[in-house]
Amino acid sequence: PLPVKCTIEERKGKKHAKLHFACQGRGEHCLYKVKFYTMKTRHPRTWIHLMFLALQSRSSSALSTRDAGVSSLKNCWEIIKCEEKTFSTLVTGAFPPAKDQDSIIHELSAHRFFDVFEYNAPFLQWGCFLCNHPERASTFIQEEEPVIEGQLKEKSGGKWKIFKKWKSRYFTLSGAKLVYKESKPDGVGVIQSLDVGSIRSVKVSKGGRNIPKAFEIFTADKTYILKAKDSSNAQEWVQCLSVAVAHSQARDTNLQRLGYGGSLGRLTAGAGRINHPTGMYSNVTLRTAV
């Protein structure tokens, strides 16, 4: 998958490259119709090189730094200054080796990119989960219909400590809430719920797609540590949670957009520069079809 935009951000004196991915499906229930999937990268050299090659592949003649897209990529590279290598040397060098390609695939996996994006081979495009599986959309749209449910073990206290016990509870995830039953000392079960919109991220203890049985759900003020019966079941829970969170964010973004107008097209307007507290920082927008 190739990002449609690369921006450079500075935080605490350090510059970071941020990638923006768009869904090429753009279906009725698309998770990224009015916003991008964003992630910071530790491999800007490889990504900028691949973005340049994508530009060149769609051009009938050799590109130069006078082209707007190439100029923006060059500015990004010169701003981040992650290596003592000129932009021309970077983009005219050999195609990124397998090691570098593996690094960015691992990075995408660690960010859980493949939970919400899949390659649609018949259409030769990368689409979000709901564009590739429209038959599943109803389960995420209907707030009370279960997306996934089953027995999970929760680490009491939400902390990785040996003396904290695992407690078995029955969880049900819908498009709006994660509900579970919590037993009290008096034997009375109390229903607890967590709004999907309050979930900031879902992570596992290892990167990559071969995830272990345990995973974590992070909100602004609490961490839930859960364990499934096996890795396959954990993968299913993490993917469903990731899609539910993305759908909730897309719905909220769409409501905000309806409040003041705007669209994804507006987000990509003025792609040459962005305002930054410490100056004007470059970014580039690429309409990729790869």
Side-chain angles (χ1 to χ4, degrees), residues 87-124:
F87 178 75
S88 296
T89 301
L90 170 68
V91 299
T92 57
F95 192 86
K99 180 180 178 181
D100 290 347
Q101 295 177 53
D102 289 342
S103 294
I104 62 174
I105 292 297
H106 177 77
E107 182 175 61
L108 289 168
S109 298
H111 280 270
R112 311 306 307 171
F113 176 88
F114 298 110
D115 284 340
V116 292
F117 275 94
E118 297 176 357
Y119 184 66
N120 190 323
F123 290 94
L124 303 177

Side-chain angles (χ1 to χ4, degrees), residues 3-7 9 11 17-23 31-32 34-41 47 107-108 110-113 116-117 200-201 246 249 264 267:
V4 296
K5 184 167 72 169
C6 176
T7 58
E9 297 182 347
R11 182 173 295 180
K18 191 173 184 178
L19 306 174
H20 305 248
F21 295 85
C23 174
L31 297 174
Y32 300 99
V34 294
K35 59 176 291 192
F36 294 115
Y37 176 98
T38 61
M39 57 173 268
K40 290 182 180 178
T41 178
W47 282 113
E107 182 175 61
L108 289 168
H111 280 270
R112 311 306 307 171
F113 176 88
V116 292
F117 275 94
R200 291 189 171 183
S201 62
Q249 293 173 346
L264 188 60
L267 291 177

Side-chain angles (χ1 to χ4, degrees), residues 34 253-267:
V34 294
T253 301
N254 191 49
L255 290 174
Q256 293 172 6
R257 182 179 66 87
L258 292 175
Y260 63 79
S263 67
L264 188 60
R266 288 192 179 185
L267 291 177

Side-chain angles (χ1 to χ4, degrees), residues 37-231:
Y37 176 98
T38 61
M39 57 173 268
K40 290 182 180 178
T41 178
R42 297 183 178 219
H43 307 284
R45 173 175 57 82
T46 305
W47 282 113
I48 290 176
H49 191 179
L50 290 174
M51 292 174 78
F52 170 82
L53 293 175
L55 282 175
Q56 181 63 79
S57 69
R58 293 190 301 278
S59 175
S60 58
S61 58
L63 295 175
S64 73
T65 54
R66 291 190 296 272
D67 293 282
V70 178
S71 177
S72 294
L73 279 176
K74 181 175 182 289
N75 288 338
C76 284
W77 177 254
E78 292 177 346
I79 289 170
I80 200 165
K81 294 179 180 177
C82 59
E83 294 181 19
E84 293 298 325
K85 181 185 290 188
T86 66
F87 178 75
S88 296
T89 301
L90 170 68
V91 299
T92 57
F95 192 86
K99 180 180 178 181
D100 290 347
Q101 295 177 53
D102 289 342
S103 294
I104 62 174
I105 292 297
H106 177 77
E107 182 175 61
L108 289 168
S109 298
H111 280 270
R112 311 306 307 171
F113 176 88
F114 298 110
D115 284 340
V116 292
F117 275 94
E118 297 176 357
Y119 184 66
N120 190 323
F123 290 94
L124 303 177
Q125 64 184 19
W126 283 89
C128 73
F129 181 85
L130 291 187
C131 284
N132 285 332
H133 302 280
E135 73 282 357
R136 295 287 305 275
S138 62
T139 58
F140 291 93
I141 295 170
Q142 299 296 328
E143 297 187 352
E144 301 302 325
E145 185 176 347
V147 174
I148 185 175
E149 58 185 333
Q151 200 82 14
L152 294 174
K153 291 185 177 181
E154 181 186 10
K155 193 81 165 175
S156 60
K159 294 183 179 180
W160 288 101
K161 292 185 177 180
I162 297 177
F163 58 85
K164 293 289 185 180
K165 296 182 179 179
W166 291 97
K167 295 183 178 180
S168 294
R169 289 171 179 153
Y170 195 87
F171 286 77
T172 301
L173 173 67
S174 67
K177 295 181 181 295
L178 177 65
V179 179
Y180 61 98
K181 192 171 184 179
E182 183 176 315
S183 298
K184 296 298 182 181
D186 58 6
V188 178
V190 178
I191 301 297
Q192 302 286 354
S193 66
L194 172 66
D195 287 338
V196 169
S198 68
I199 298 176
R200 291 189 171 183
S201 62
V202 182
K203 296 182 180 180
V204 293
S205 59
K206 292 182 181 179
R209 301 209 69 182
N210 185 24
I211 68 174
K213 294 189 292 183
F215 57 94
E216 297 170 273
I217 300 173
F218 296 91
T219 67
D221 55 5
K222 190 172 181 180
T223 299
Y224 297 83
I225 302 175
L226 305 173
K227 185 167 66 173
K229 59 183 179 181
D230 53 41
S231 295

